[in-house]
């Protein structure tokens, strides 16, 4: 009897793994929409791959792996059996590139597969929202296969794919940040007017002052650590230009004409964008390939006795750690977000905030349900494309945006990474400026 119950339990688990997302997660998210749970499940697969990459990049793992007999070439032999695995390809930046290549290939496959899915009645919607066990096996198989890719020019070519994808993902981060800042300011102003309380105004003032304070402190620190009285001209120009641009957009945000067309525009949004711009500037300065102007560069030791046949991997610096945290927050936000702005939803191809009636329906049913029978609430294809870009961005973040050098066998910083980040910061400021002046320049269009 117990054996029969055990078999039934295993069959139930197997059906859940091959079934829909609500079947897997309804115990944790009893009142969630099917669309949200599926996105969280795909995000979990992304985070799982990131965790594997982090473990392979961790200091000390390589030395411990070489201690295992029968595994690595050059490891201690046991009973005359030698290892035949090049453990260098399993660790460091080479492993990160291959794991992230597998993640990118996995999500790009789904990007193509889910093009033009209109509702959950489409057979492909069942693949999107179910068969998680087979998806995991597919991702595992691609990852294993990626480690058989010969070195050659793979890492150098994939580096430039990562640069382009990371640039686009930074722009997506900025779009989400602009939308978040607008929604935050609008809701707090509405609460202040509805409850006739000045506490909400005080909160807006406090956070505006906080973000501007963070930005000013960042500027001072960057001038102190990344510039010198002689030299470091590029760093001085980048910091000064972004400072001027941030002052300009802050002034535009409070102009009377802008306030008339956009009453919810204010300094809170400008302060958030200013702080994030300074963060991107910091990331750019941390990749300047000049030891005099970049304290984050690893110290080069020309008398090192390291083997020239292996790469040396630099463990993360502070910019990479902060970038990793922002990556996690942004990716989760992509998975659960629902904007009040229809133009942002149109741009990001995501759903609008759930209505009050839908919320009541959730409370009555008390379980996860399919909310896409009449039409999908987000673009399946675009969501996977965002995760595809996120895979490339995390690859660059975990390797500090360094490029592998086949001659010196080291990871080196390049001006390519610097210019990509600086251009991304300028594009973000221009995008925010456009949200301010668009109603003024295009009066016949609805920007409410």
């Amino acid at each position: 009897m117990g054996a029969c119950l055990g078999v039934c339990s295993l069959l139930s688990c197997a059906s859940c793994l091959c079934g829909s997302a609500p079947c897997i997660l309804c115990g944790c998210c009893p009142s969630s929409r099917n669309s949200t749970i599926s996105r969280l499940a795909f995000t979990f697969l992304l985070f799982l791959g990131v965790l594997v990459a982090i473990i392979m990049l961790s200091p000390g793992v390589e030395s411990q792996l070489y201690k295992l007999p029968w595994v690595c070439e050059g490891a201690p032999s046991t009973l005359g059996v030698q290892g035949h695995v090049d453990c260098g390809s399993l660790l460091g930046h080479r492993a990160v590139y291959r794991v992230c290549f597998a993640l990118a290939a996995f999500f790009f496959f789904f990007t193509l597969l889910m093009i033009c899915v209109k509702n959950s009645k489409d057979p492909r919607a069942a693949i999107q929202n179910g068969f998680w066990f087979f998806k995991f096996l597919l991702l595992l198989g691609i990852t294993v296969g990626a480690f058989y890719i010969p070195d050659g020019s793979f890492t150098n070519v994939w580096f430039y794919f990562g640069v382009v994808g990371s640039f686009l993902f930074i722009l997506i981060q900025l779009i989400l940040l602009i939308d978040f800042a607008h929604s935050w300011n609008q809701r707090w102003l509405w609460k202040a007017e509805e409850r006739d309380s000045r506490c909400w105004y005080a909160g807006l003032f406090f956070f505006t002052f906080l973000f501007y304070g963070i930005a000013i402190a960042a500027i001072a620190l960057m001038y102190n650590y990344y510039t010198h009285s002689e030299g470091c001209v590029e760093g001085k120009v980048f910091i000064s230009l972004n400072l001027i641009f941030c002052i300009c957009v802050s002034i535009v945000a409070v102009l009377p004409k802008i306030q008339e067309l956009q009453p919810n525009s204010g300094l809170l949004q400008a302060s958030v964008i200013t702080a994030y711009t300074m963060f991107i500037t910091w990331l750019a300065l941390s990749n300047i390939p000049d030891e005099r102007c970049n304290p984050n560069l690893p110290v080069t030791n020309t008398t090192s006795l390291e083997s020239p046949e292996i790469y040396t991997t630099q463990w993360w610096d502070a910019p990479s750690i902060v970038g990793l945290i922002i990556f996690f927050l942004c990716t989760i936000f992509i998975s659960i977000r629902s904007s009040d702005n229809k133009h942002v939803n149109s741009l990001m191809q995501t759903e609008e905030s759930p209505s009050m009636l839908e919320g009541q329906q959730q409370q009555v049913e008390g379980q996860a349900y399919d909310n896409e029978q009449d039409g999908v609430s987000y673009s399946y294809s675009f969501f996977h494309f965002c995760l595809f870009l996120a895979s490339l961005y995390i690859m660059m973040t975990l390797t500090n945006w360094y490029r592998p050098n086949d001659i010196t066998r080291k990871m080196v910083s390049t001006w390519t990474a610097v210019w990509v980040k600086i251009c991304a910061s300028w594009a973000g400021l221009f995008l925010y400026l456009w949200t301010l002046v668009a109603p003024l320049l295009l009066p016949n269009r609805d920007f409410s």
Side-chain angles (χ1 to χ4, degrees):
M1 184 64 179
C4 292
L5 291 176
V7 172
C8 292
S9 177
L10 289 176
L11 290 176
S12 175
C13 292
S15 65
C16 252
L17 288 173
C18 300
S20 64
C23 181
I24 300 176
L25 301 177
C26 62
C28 301
C29 311
S31 296
S32 297
R33 292 164 290 171
N34 189 25
S35 58
T36 302
I37 296 177
S38 295
R39 284 180 286 178
L40 287 174
F42 275 110
T43 303
F44 172 76
L45 291 179
L46 174 63
F47 287 170
L48 186 63
V50 173
L51 178 62
V52 173
I54 291 175
I55 292 174
M56 291 180 171
L57 197 62
S58 301
V61 174
E62 183 173 6
S63 61
Q64 295 299 320
L65 190 60
Y66 271 104
K67 294 180 180 179
L68 297 177
W70 308 337
V71 178
C72 299
E73 295 178 353
S77 62
T78 302
L79 299 177
V81 180
Q82 296 287 344
H84 298 283
V85 179
D86 179 14
C87 290
S89 64
L90 303 178
L91 300 163
H93 85 278
R94 296 162 70 184
V96 173
Y97 271 48
R98 281 160 173 77
V99 170
C100 292
F101 170 82
L103 291 171
F106 176 79
F107 290 118
F108 189 72
F109 168 75
F110 277 95
T111 298
L112 299 179
L113 181 64
M114 297 299 165
I115 292 177
C116 295
V117 175
K118 301 299 182 182
N119 53 53
S120 60
K121 299 176 184 177
D122 191 308
R124 292 174 294 171
I127 301 176
Q128 168 76 7
N129 299 317
F131 302 100
W132 297 101
F133 178 69
F134 296 108
K135 290 175 185 175
F136 174 77
L137 289 182
L138 174 63
L139 178 59
L140 182 63
I142 297 175
T143 304
V144 173
F147 281 92
Y148 286 93
I149 299 176
D151 279 341
S153 59
F154 167 75
T155 50
N156 283 300
V157 173
W158 197 239
F159 168 81
Y160 290 102
F161 275 91
V163 166
V164 176
S166 299
F167 175 82
L168 297 176
F169 188 73
I170 291 176
L171 292 184
I172 291 177
Q173 286 182 330
L174 288 165
I175 292 173
L176 296 177
L177 190 64
I178 292 171
D179 175 49
F180 171 74
H182 276 295
S183 300
W184 182 9
N185 188 71
Q186 182 178 356
R187 291 180 181 179
W188 280 30
L189 287 176
W190 178 78
K191 290 182 179 180
E193 295 175 358
E194 181 189 35
R195 302 179 183 181
D196 193 21
S197 173
R198 295 188 176 182
C199 294
W200 297 103
Y201 291 113
L204 289 174
F205 174 79
F206 170 77
F207 282 103
T208 300
F209 180 81
L210 175 64
F211 287 125
Y212 273 125
I214 292 174
I216 293 173
I219 292 170
L221 290 173
M222 286 188 292
Y223 271 121
N224 183 52
Y225 288 101
Y226 293 92
T227 64
H228 297 287
S229 56
E230 298 180 359
C232 303
V233 177
E234 297 86 357
K236 296 175 183 177
V237 171
F238 293 151
I239 300 171
S240 301
L241 280 178
N242 279 355
L243 173 60
I244 294 172
F245 293 156
C246 289
I247 293 175
C248 290
V249 296
S250 298
I251 294 175
V252 172
V254 294
L255 289 177
K257 197 65 176 179
I258 300 297
Q259 291 287 308
E260 179 184 346
L261 296 174
Q262 297 196 67
N264 293 321
S265 174
L267 289 177
L268 176 65
Q269 300 97 310
S271 66
V272 172
I273 299 303
T274 298
Y276 189 78
T277 299
M278 292 306 159
F279 166 69
I280 297 296
T281 307
W282 178 37
L283 292 182
L285 296 178
S286 66
N287 277 113
I288 292 180
D290 188 345
E291 295 181 2
R292 298 175 305 164
C293 308
N294 185 2
N296 296 106
L297 281 181
V299 178
T300 303
N301 183 7
T302 58
T303 61
S304 174
L305 298 178
E306 293 177 351
S307 172
E309 298 180 356
I310 61 173
Y311 280 100
T312 57
T313 302
Q314 173 72 13
W315 186 234
W316 304 335
D317 50 16
S320 297
I321 294 175
V322 178
L324 183 64
I325 295 173
I326 293 179
F327 160 80
F328 280 116
L329 295 177
C330 180
T331 308
I332 293 174
F333 190 54
I334 290 175
S335 302
I336 65 176
R337 74 174 297 279
S338 55
S339 176
D340 296 324
N341 191 312
K342 62 181 180 181
H343 298 289
V344 174
N345 287 318
S346 177
L347 180 64
M348 297 296 296
Q349 302 188 36
T350 51
E351 60 195 359
E352 294 184 2
S353 297
S355 62
M356 186 66 68
L357 180 62
E358 185 181 342
Q360 293 175 356
Q361 180 186 11
Q362 290 178 5
Q363 294 177 4
V364 172
E365 293 181 354
Q367 59 182 2
Y369 66 98
D370 182 8
N371 63 318
E372 299 179 309
Q373 294 180 353
D374 298 327
V376 294
S377 55
Y378 67 101
S379 170
Y380 291 173
S381 182
F382 186 76
F383 170 71
H384 289 295
F385 183 68
C386 289
L387 295 188
F388 164 73
L389 298 179
S391 303
L392 298 176
Y393 176 81
I394 196 61
M395 178 185 77
M396 302 303 294
T397 300
L398 292 178
T399 56
N400 295 341
W401 289 70
Y402 290 177
R403 183 177 62 84
N405 188 313
D406 292 328
I407 299 177
T408 62
R409 311 301 292 182
K410 294 182 181 294
M411 299 292 285
V412 296
S413 187
T414 66
W415 280 105
T416 303
V418 178
W419 280 107
V420 165
K421 296 176 184 179
I422 288 296
C423 291
S425 69
W426 292 343
L429 287 170
F430 174 79
L431 188 61
Y432 173 62
L433 182 63
W434 174 251
T435 64
L436 296 176
V437 302
L440 184 63
L441 300 178
L442 302 173
N444 296 327
R445 295 190 60 180
D446 178 22
F447 290 95
S448 58

